[in-house]
C-alpha cells in the first residue's frame, strides 16, 4: 500500500514515511492509494474470529510493506488488550469504547501509532524525536499513555490549566518517564497555537526533531475501523439480522471516517450518523453543499469542539467527492448542550445507564434517525467513560460517578507539571 496526498496524487509514499511525516509535503492529508476489498468469506467468518484475528486481516493491507505479519500481530495484541462491549440501552446498543487505559476511544489509535512510530524512528536511525501535542483533554492522555516507555521518543504535552477534568489531568501529569506535561496559562487554542509556532520555528527545528501525534496521522486514523467490525461481530453473535446503523459522536471526524472506510472495504453497514454538538460545520455542508469552516464554540462535549474537522475531506474522497453518493450512507446532525443534558437524564431515568455527554449526543442522533428508519441494530458509540466528564455528569444526573478500577490508583499519584506562561517558556523548555 502506498499513501498519496489528497491534493496531489503524484505525491506518494510508504506507510512508514506517512507515519513519520504525518502530513504530506504539500500539507494535505495522506490517503490510501486504493481501498482494499475483503473477501466475502472473511465477512462471513467475522462472528467466529477473535478480535486479534479480525484486526490482523483488516490492517494487513495498510501496512504490508513496512511491518511483518508477526510485528503487526505483536503491536495489535498490545493495543487491543481490553474489551469493546455492546450494552443494551432501551432499543439500542451502546458500543463502549472506554475500557482502555485512558478511558476513551483514542487509546487504540494512539497506541497503534505510538508503537509504529517508535519502531520506524529506531530503524531509520533518526536522532531522538520529540512528539509535541496540545490537548483539550482526551488526546493528550491517550498519546501519553501510548508513548509511555517507547524508546527514542520524548513526549511533550501542552494542556490548558484548570480546563481539563481531574482524571484527565492525572492521566497527563503522573506518568513520568519520557512524558512531560506543560501546564499552560490560557485556553486550548493558546496551547494549539504555541505548538503550531514551534513546528515552524527554525531555532527549534534545527536542534530538535519534532513530530506530531495528530489525529490526521494514518496510523491513528485507520485502526479505528476495528471498532465497527467488532460491533458487527457482537451483533451477529447476538443473532441480530439487520445491518448496523452507527451513530458516532464526531469532532474531527476521524473515528466515523474509519468506520466508513471499513464499509467501503465490504463491512455491511446500513447507515452512519455523524452526531455533533453546536459545532455544526458538516451539518451546514450537508444542507447547502458549501463547506465553510467556523470558529469553535465551547460545549460540554468538548472533545467535539471542532469548527473545521480535518478528516471530512477523507470522507468526501471515499464518496468520489459526490455529496449525492455520500447522502445515501451518511447523515449529520447537531444538538445543543441543553438537549444533551436532557438526553443524559432520559438515558439514566429510563434505562438506568450513565452516558457521558459525547455518547448522549450520539444517542440523540440515533433516536432521530431510527424514528424514520426503524432497525434492530441501532448502535451509538460511547467514546468516553462518564468519569472523564465527571462535573457535567454528576451535576446533570445528581449522582456520584465512581472511577473505574484501572485508573483509581492515578488519583493518589502526585501531579508533575511545568508552568508555561507563553511561547518563550515553551521554546526554552524544548531547547534546554
Ligand atoms: C476525540 C473524541 C471524539 C471525537 O472523535 P473524532 O474522531 O475527532 O471525530 C468524541 N468523543 C470523545 C470522548 C473524544 O475524545
Amino acid at each position: 500500500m502506498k499513501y498519496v496526498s489528497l491534493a496531489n496524487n503524484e505525491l506518494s509514499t510508504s506507510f512508514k514515511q506517512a507515519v513519520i511525516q504525518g502530513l504530506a509535503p504539500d500539507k494535505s492529508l495522506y490517503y490510501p492509494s486504493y481501498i482494499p476489498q475483503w473477501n466475502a468469506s472473511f465477512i462471513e467468518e467475522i462472528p467466529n474470529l477473535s478480535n486479534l484475528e479480525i484486526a490482523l486481516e483488516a490492517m494487513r493491507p495498510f501496512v504490508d510493506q513496512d511491518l511483518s505479519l508477526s510485528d503487526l500481530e505483536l503491536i495489535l495484541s498490545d493495543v487491543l488488550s481490553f474489551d469493546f462491549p455492546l450494552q443494551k440501552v432501551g432499543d439500542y446498543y451502546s458500543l463502549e469504547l472506554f475500557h482502555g487505559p485512558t478511558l476513551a476511544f483514542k487509546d487504540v489509535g494512539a497506541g497503534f501509532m505510538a508503537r509504529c512510530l517508535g519502531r520506524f524512528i529506531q530503524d531509520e536511525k533518526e536522532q531522538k524525536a520529540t512528539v509535541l501535542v496540545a490537548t483539550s483533554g482526551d488526546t493528550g492522555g491517550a498519546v501519553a499513555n501510548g508513548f509511555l516507555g517507547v524508546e527514542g521518543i520524548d513526549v511533550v504535552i501542552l494542556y490548558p490549566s484548570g480546563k481539563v477534568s481531574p482524571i484527565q489531568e492525572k492521566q497527563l501529569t503522573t506518568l513520568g518517564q519520557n512524558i512531560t506535561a506543560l501546564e499552560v496559562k490560557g485556553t486550548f487554542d493558546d496551547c494549539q497555537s504555541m505548538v503550531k509556532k514551534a513546528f515552524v520555528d527554525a531555532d527549534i527545528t534545527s536542534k530538535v526533531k519534532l513530530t506530531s501525534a495528530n489525529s490526521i496521522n494514518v496510523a491513528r486514523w485507520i485502526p479505528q475501523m476495528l471498532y465497527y467490525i467488532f460491533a458487527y461481530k457482537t451483533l451477529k453473535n447476538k443473532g441480530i439480522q439487520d445491518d448496523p446503523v452507527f451513530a458516532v459522536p464526531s469532532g474531527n471526524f476521524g473515528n466515523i471516517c474509519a468506520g466508513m472506510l471499513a464499509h467501503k472495504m465490504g463491512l455491511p453497514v446500513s447507515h452512519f450518523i455523524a452526531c455533533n454538538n453546536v459545532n455544526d460545520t458538516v451539518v451546514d455542508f450537508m444542507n447547502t453543499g458549501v463547506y465553510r469552516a467556523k470558529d469553535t464554540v465551547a460545549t460540554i462535549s468538548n472533545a467535539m469542539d471542532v469548527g473545521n474537522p480535518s478528516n471530512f475531506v477523507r470522507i468526501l474522497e471515499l464518496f468520489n467527492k459526490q455529496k449525492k453518493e455520500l447522502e445515501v450512507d451518511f447523515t449529520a446532525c447537531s444538538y445543543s448542550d441543553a438537549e444533551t443534558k436532557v438526553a443524559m437524564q432520559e438515558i439514566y431515568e429510563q434505562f438506568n445507564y450513565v452516558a457521558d455527554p459525547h455518547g448522549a449526543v450520539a444517542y440523540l442522533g440515533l433516536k432521530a434517525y431510527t424514528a424514520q428508519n426503524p432497525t434492530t441494530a441501532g448502535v451509538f458509540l460511547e467514546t468516553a467513560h462518564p468519569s472523564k466528564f465527571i462535573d457535567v455528569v454528576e451535576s446533570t444526573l445528581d449522582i456520584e460517578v465512581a472511577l473505574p478500577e484501572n485508573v483509581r490508583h492515578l488519583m493518589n499519584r502526585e501531579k508533575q507539571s511545568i508552568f508555561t506562561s507563553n511561547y518563550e517558556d515553551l521554546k526554552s523548555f524544548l531547547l534546554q
Side-chain angles (χ1 to χ4, degrees):
M1 173 71 71
K2 288 272 178 197
Y3 290 83
V4 296
S5 152
L6 268 182
N8 172 5
N9 55 20
E10 315 255 288
L11 276 179
S12 83
T13 193
S14 63
F15 175 68
K16 179 195 279 191
Q17 284 306 322
V19 174
I20 292 176
Q21 295 167 24
L23 284 174
D26 62 359
K27 302 291 173 212
S28 35
L29 272 63
Y30 277 121
Y31 188 81
S33 57
Y34 69 99
I35 306 298
Q37 298 296 308
W38 290 315
N39 296 327
S41 62
F42 169 63
I43 306 288
E44 231 162 81
E45 269 304 299
I46 286 174
N48 309 318
L49 299 176
S50 71
N51 284 356
L52 185 58
E53 287 168 327
I54 291 171
L56 267 176
E57 181 64 21
M59 291 300 297
R60 209 160 43 114
F62 293 100
V63 304
D64 51 5
Q65 291 172 329
D66 296 310
L67 287 177
S68 68
L69 203 53
S70 59
D71 285 348
L72 179 63
E73 182 166 3
L74 275 178
I75 292 177
L76 286 171
S77 59
D78 245 12
V79 297
L80 299 174
S81 58
F82 46 91
D83 291 335
F84 305 88
L86 280 181
Q87 287 286 346
K88 190 96 174 114
V89 175
D91 291 336
Y92 307 129
Y93 294 93
S94 165
L95 173 57
E96 295 186 341
L97 300 178
F98 56 69
H99 294 274
T102 75
L103 312 179
F105 83 95
K106 291 184 172 69
D107 281 326
V108 168
F112 187 82
M113 177 184 164
R115 284 161 181 81
C116 291
L117 190 59
R119 177 175 301 246
F120 296 156
I121 292 275
Q122 273 173 18
D123 36 80
E124 293 276 286
K125 307 232 172 351
E126 297 264 356
Q127 73 212 81
K128 255 175 110 75
T130 297
V131 168
L132 185 62
V133 58
T135 187
S136 58
D138 274 351
T139 300
V143 167
N145 200 84
F147 280 99
L148 182 65
V150 172
E151 200 121 349
I153 297 192
D154 287 327
V155 177
V156 178
I157 299 171
L158 284 78
Y159 74 96
S161 180
K163 297 198 173 64
V164 302
S165 75
I167 181 70
Q168 286 176 331
E169 183 167 47
K170 290 284 185 184
Q171 286 170 337
L172 296 171
T173 58
T174 62
L175 290 169
Q177 297 186 51
N178 56 333
I179 315 293
T180 307
L182 303 185
E183 182 170 356
V184 175
K185 215 173 107 221
T187 61
F188 167 64
D189 288 335
D190 297 328
C191 298
Q192 185 85 334
S193 57
M194 282 160 71
V195 165
K196 285 193 177 147
K197 205 163 162 185
F199 273 97
V200 295
D201 185 333
D203 296 345
I204 297 174
T205 54
S206 61
K207 298 200 180 68
V208 185
K209 183 172 174 59
L210 288 184
T211 325
S212 108
N214 203 294
S215 66
I216 47 85
N217 195 294
V218 294
R220 257 191 77 182
W221 166 50
I222 296 174
Q224 301 176 119
M225 74 160 80
L226 301 174
Y227 306 137
Y228 300 82
I229 319 177
F230 298 163
Y232 176 84
K233 162 182 154 176
T234 311
L235 285 171
K236 294 297 147 186
N237 281 326
K238 287 181 188 290
I240 291 173
Q241 303 290 324
D242 287 349
D243 291 336
V245 171
F246 287 114
V248 187
S250 295
N252 237 333
F253 283 67
N255 190 3
I256 194 169
C257 182
M260 298 175 91
L261 174 63
H263 180 45
K264 288 286 177 193
M265 293 172 72
L267 184 74
V269 174
S270 161
H271 203 73
F272 289 92
I273 310 158
C275 306
N276 299 128
N277 56 33
V278 292
N279 292 283
D280 58 357
T281 305
V282 171
V283 177
D284 272 6
F285 170 80
M286 295 306 285
N287 288 336
T288 64
V290 182
Y291 184 92
R292 221 177 279 119
K294 298 189 181 189
D295 288 339
T296 301
V297 180
T299 73
I300 56 170
S301 48
N302 61 31
M304 308 198 291
D305 294 352
V306 181
N308 188 13
S310 4
N311 282 292
F312 193 63
V313 284
R314 283 182 170 144
I315 293 185
L316 285 174
E317 191 67 25
L318 278 172
F319 293 83
N320 308 307
K321 302 191 187 75
Q322 299 300 313
K323 184 170 152 268
K324 278 258 163 312
E325 278 182 43
L326 176 61
E327 279 165 354
V328 176
D329 285 345
F330 175 91
T331 307
C333 52
S334 152
Y335 296 95
S336 68
D337 280 356
E339 291 169 310
T340 306
K341 287 183 183 175
V342 170
M344 290 165 67
Q345 286 160 352
E346 174 180 317
I347 297 167
Y348 184 61
E349 280 154 22
Q350 292 187 14
F351 314 119
N352 198 26
Y353 187 79
V354 179
D356 98 295
H358 304 79
V361 170
Y363 167 88
L364 283 169
L366 185 59
K367 197 171 150 181
Y369 178 82
T370 55
Q372 307 296 323
N373 306 275
T375 175
T376 56
V379 177
F380 65 94
L381 277 60
E382 207 0 324
T383 43
H385 189 274
S387 63
K388 293 201 85 171
F389 299 91
I390 198 160
D391 290 355
V392 189
V393 174
E394 291 193 337
S395 65
T396 305
L397 302 183
D398 198 16
I399 56 169
E400 271 182 39
V401 175
L403 282 181
E405 197 72 60
N406 61 336
V407 297
R408 228 169 274 165
H409 65 281
L410 283 182
M411 298 315 281
N412 304 324
R413 290 217 201 141
E414 197 163 334
K415 160 180 161 183
Q416 285 186 319
S417 67
I418 298 177
F419 268 101
T420 307
S421 328
N422 51 37
Y423 180 69
E424 289 311 312
D425 284 359
L426 170 65
K427 185 162 175 170
S428 54
F429 173 79
L430 289 172
L431 291 176
Q432 92 201 346

